[in-house]
Amino acid sequence: MPPITTRFAPSPTGYLHIGHAYSALFTAVQGDKFILRIEDIDQTRARPEFYDAIYEDLEWLGLNWPQPVLKQSENMAAYRAALDKLIALDVIYPCSCTRKDISAMTNAPHGPEGTLYTGTCRHKRLCDMDEGTDYALRLNIDAALKHIDQPLSFYDHAAGKQDVNPHLLGDVVLARKETPASYHLSVCVDDHAQGISIVTRGDDLIYACHIHRVIQALLGLDVPEYHHHKLLYDHEGKRFAKRNHSVTLRDIRTKGFSLADVKAMIENGDYLEKLGAEGL
Ligand code: GLU
């Protein structure tokens, strides 16, 4: 039997906080093999100190993982190959609409990632784009569905079997002119290549499975199981943000809390009182 493989996939755009600790520790106990992947496609937001801090914080949590660690910024050839397959299926089109154009589409329905793109650029072809124009590459979901002959679903350990609504996110961006991948494409390629058995992440991302299943079906990728877990919330009921320094693992450590303290506060759900009581 192959090992049950799970992964923790942070982006190096800030210091890890108590919500990440919950997610990483949760991930590690779901399987036999724990993989760390660095999701750093967006190089405009990634910073060197955050890569090192991820390793340091996860080691402090008592986790270990096989080397080398996959950094998505170094895996662009794999995403390019996947994108080329989708282009060959004729399901990708270039879209030169700006954010402003899209937010002006006031009659368009809204989805979990904002305005659903209504396909204004669907008629455009890559060969028609001139050098100077910037564009995103979008999945034409109606064209994509012509290649898929069965209804799709996915299994989530918390939510159960879910039927896919392929239109949930509209025509998503899968790449950009200069970058052959977006989150949605790279995550499907990597979860397949790394043999991930159970994808674990916060339940704010469960909606993304609806498009991930379509991408997996188009590219013939393995379909993992999923386990979307609860998120930890701050005093205002908002999920923790990386900019909220008071709950970063390094601040918690500096204040003298031990790993056992962190595990206990996550387990008991009294992390806000405990961190607040220490004046963090
Ligand atoms: N890179 C994402 C994050 O830091 C995680 C996405 C995933 O686990 O699929 O929130």
Side-chain angles (χ1 to χ4, degrees):
M1 280 284 279
I4 297 174
T5 306
T6 60
R7 85 324 190 255
F8 181 60
S11 298
T13 54
Y15 291 117
L16 299 188
H17 51 64
I18 186 127
H20 291 108
Y22 174 80
S23 188
L25 293 168
F26 177 92
T27 299
V29 297
Q30 304 303 312
D32 318 307
K33 185 176 172 193
F34 170 86
I35 288 184
L36 172 64
R37 176 163 80 225
I38 304 282
E39 299 207 328
D40 61 349
I41 287 180
D42 186 354
Q43 283 289 300
T44 60
R45 291 175 62 223
R47 297 225 311 258
E49 63 269 32
F50 297 139
Y51 291 77
D52 293 339
I54 287 173
Y55 304 137
E56 207 179 296
D57 289 344
L58 294 181
E59 275 165 19
W60 184 77
L61 288 174
L63 299 171
N64 47 66
W65 50 90
Q67 299 290 341
V69 169
L70 175 67
K71 296 193 190 85
Q72 291 190 324
S73 59
E74 296 172 357
N75 201 27
M76 291 298 174
Y79 312 137
R80 176 82 250 170
L83 182 64
D84 285 344
K85 278 191 197 164
L86 296 176
I87 291 171
L89 290 176
D90 206 14
V91 295
I92 297 288
Y93 65 91
C95 167
S96 46
C97 294
T98 61
R99 269 178 219 279
K100 214 169 134 201
D101 295 335
I102 295 169
S103 56
M105 295 170 180
T106 44
N107 291 330
H110 273 252
E113 290 184 345
T115 310
L116 291 193
Y117 187 68
T118 48
T120 320
C121 290
R122 267 191 182 182
H123 63 283
K124 291 187 180 160
R125 291 288 158 262
L126 271 169
C127 55
D128 301 330
M129 303 310 284
D130 66 59
E131 281 284 295
T133 315
D134 208 13
Y135 54 85
L137 293 162
R138 289 185 182 272
L139 181 71
N140 178 333
I141 190 64
D142 292 328
L145 290 176
K146 295 201 176 111
H147 294 274
I148 300 171
D149 48 18
Q150 294 184 34
L152 300 172
S153 63
F154 62 93
Y155 179 71
D156 184 89
H157 287 245
K161 180 175 175 256
Q162 302 291 305
D163 292 330
V164 165
N165 170 5
H167 290 97
L168 187 67
L169 298 179
D171 283 1
V172 284
V173 171
L174 290 190
R176 301 203 166 267
K177 183 185 178 191
E178 308 293 348
T179 318
S182 68
Y183 164 65
H184 294 308
L185 182 59
S186 61
V187 80
C188 295
V189 169
D190 290 342
D191 286 337
H192 168 84
Q194 295 190 298
I196 304 302
S197 330
I198 310 175
V199 167
T200 54
R201 58 188 169 211
D203 59 14
D204 56 334
L205 276 174
I206 193 166
Y207 74 84
C209 292
H210 292 264
I211 199 65
H212 295 179
R213 282 297 292 109
V214 172
I215 296 169
Q216 288 157 354
L218 291 172
L219 293 172
L221 303 177
D222 293 338
V223 182
E225 292 181 0
Y226 293 89
H227 197 155
H228 290 86
H229 58 70
K230 65 170 186 176
L231 297 173
L232 302 192
Y233 292 98
D234 68 12
H235 283 292
E236 288 164 18
K238 294 198 193 116
R239 66 198 172 109
F240 289 117
K242 285 177 174 163
R243 62 184 174 278
N244 183 352
H245 295 288
S246 61
V247 290
T248 62
L249 289 176
R250 56 191 37 225
D251 270 23
I252 291 173
R253 212 156 56 227
T254 311
K255 294 282 174 184
F257 288 104
S258 67
L259 175 56
D261 294 332
V262 168
K263 284 186 174 169
M265 49 180 108
I266 288 173
E267 174 85 30
N268 302 332
D270 60 355
Y271 49 92
L272 291 178
E273 293 83 337
K274 285 275 161 46
L275 300 178
E278 294 298 316
L280 286 177

